[in-house]
Amino acid sequence: MQARLLRSFSFRLAFTYMALFGTSVLLLLWFIYWSTAAYMSRQADATIAAEITGLAERYDMDGLAGLINVINKRLSRKPTGSSIYLLTTAINTPIAGNLNRWPETQADNDGWLNFQLENASLGKNNIHLARARSFTLSGDFHLLVGRDIYELEETQRRIIRALILGFIITLVLGGGGGFVLSHRVIKRLESINITSREIINGDLSRRIPLHHSDDEFDTLASNLNLMLDRIEELMDDVRRVSDNIAHDLRTPLARLRNRLELLRSEQEKAGQDPALAEQAISEADGLLKTFTALLRIARIETRRRKDAFTETDMEALLHDVVELYEPLAEEKGLSLSLQIDSNVHIQGDRDLLFQAMANLLDNAIKYTPAQGRIEIRLNHQRISIADSGPGIPENERQQVFQRFYRLEKSRTTPGSGLGLSLVEAVAKIHGMSLSLEDNHPGLQVNCEFPQDPSITPMPASNHT
């Protein structure tokens, strides 16, 4: 279920939305960081520049002694503060300030220096980064004013951590929201799929459940239900027409056959040859069989409920089919064998399953030449009926399930081309799948059981 959810379109859509939203949030957080950190750095630089201006003016008014006095007063007011002062001679000999030497870092074009602060007088054991600006006073004195930017960097790091945490929370909430949304969408779609599969299996009375939320899914479900109502109505009309045809045409055909029987009897009494009457009776029987097969297929395909389904013993069913066709196989000189690897019980209509197996065995006997062999095998997965006849070309194996379709080499053989169509209709209503394959020589028909039949393992047995 989880793998299916990850492959679903709704999850991919939610993930795409989450990715776009996450990217937008990331850009927004980056802008917040950039504007905040840059503002704090600009404020620190502006403060340093203002201090340099003030100290330079003090030097101009009070001279060197006045400047030293101001620096000492500022340091004495806050000895462990973040302010950095250093006044040196032309050869960088310290005169006043809280640095014991001039930084070795080269200043940029604007006089700014970034260096490591190692002055123990600040009362801090950790090495901090500092940012300062140098200024040359008259008399070739050098003034350095700066700030310990440890707190600034720590604040920036906290902002970065907060932004990263916020981004992770956004991804987690977005992913969780996408998962929940996808699960809800899949649940709604699965209800449609379940109903669709039940309709495909023949239950046209099924309808897609509504949640009465008036959303797009309810609109879709309502439209599909209206369509299904219309389809069911049309199928009812077809069924009524079929019943009417059965009532209106089968009776005249039966009367025609009875009159042909009377004609044959009269001809026999009069000493005339009844061959033409017998041919007409045979043609009428063929028409009745074809008509009956068509109606049976239509009724199977339009069956709504599976009320006639009961637990069916497939071993007993196959034994009955083999017993019915044994005389015909012996008459043609065929070897007919039944092998049971494991018994299978499925929920199904026994009469329909019997008819389907009988049609397959009848075809095998019909097309297998004399002295050939037919093998029927039952196991927990399938029923297979294999013969040594001419087989069916691979490019025609799907077409033989169409109504009235017959191979060119089989057109001279009696039949209507409806046998495999009926078998396919029975297989569909039971959830079985049909496949045809080579038997080298001949044809093998496989009827695969549904996923969950009731299986009773038993020792292998053979009936020949």
Side-chain angles (χ1 to χ4, degrees), residues 4 9 46 73 93 108-109 115 132 147 166 182 187 194 202 218 223 241 277 354 364 372 387 395 410 429 453:
R4 181 182 178 186
F9 171 77
K73 284 183 178 180
T93 301
D108 60 20
N109 295 332
F115 58 94
R147 286 285 186 274
S182 301
K187 188 176 180 180
I194 291 174
D218 267 5
N223 291 334
V241 170
F354 185 92
D387 61 58
N395 60 347
S410 305
I429 197 175

Side-chain angles (χ1 to χ4, degrees), residues 44-57 74 112 133 145:
D45 289 351
T47 301
I48 294 173
E51 281 201 79
I52 288 178
T53 302
L55 292 174
E57 292 176 353
R74 291 185 179 183
W112 290 98
R133 187 175 184 181
V145 179

Side-chain angles (χ1 to χ4, degrees), residues 69-90:
N69 186 44
V70 170
I71 292 175
N72 291 333
K73 284 183 178 180
R74 291 185 179 183
L75 291 175
S76 63
R77 286 199 301 266
K78 200 172 183 180
T80 59
S82 60
S83 297
I84 297 173
Y85 301 100
L86 179 61
L87 178 62
T88 68
T89 63

Side-chain angles (χ1 to χ4, degrees), residues 297-349:
I297 292 173
R299 288 173 179 171
I300 291 172
E301 290 178 341
T302 57
R303 177 171 293 186
R304 296 184 184 182
R305 295 181 297 273
K306 301 180 180 179
D307 297 338
F309 277 29
T310 57
E311 184 174 322
T312 303
D313 185 339
M314 296 305 297
E315 180 188 7
L317 185 146
L318 290 176
H319 274 295
D320 292 343
V321 173
V322 169
E323 184 178 354
L324 176 65
Y325 279 89
E326 268 184 333
L328 183 60
E330 291 177 359
E331 182 181 343
K332 197 173 178 181
L334 301 177
S335 170
L336 178 60
S337 64
L338 171 63
Q339 179 175 342
I340 307 297
D341 294 336
S342 58
N343 193 13
V344 178
H345 293 257
I346 68 171
Q347 290 294 319
D349 187 318

Side-chain angles (χ1 to χ4, degrees), residues 253 257 280-293 415-416:
L253 283 173
R257 189 187 185 286
I281 291 173
S282 178
E283 293 294 335
D285 287 339
L287 285 173
L288 285 170
K289 288 180 180 179
T290 300
F291 192 73
T292 301
S416 60

Side-chain angles (χ1 to χ4, degrees), residues 1 17 33 38 107 131 141 162 188 218 220 232 238 316 321 393 396 409 423:
M1 179 64 182
Y17 173 78
Y33 168 75
R131 180 172 173 80
F141 292 103
R188 296 289 296 274
D218 267 5
L220 175 62
E232 185 180 21
V238 171
V321 173
E396 295 188 83
K409 58 187 176 184
V423 172

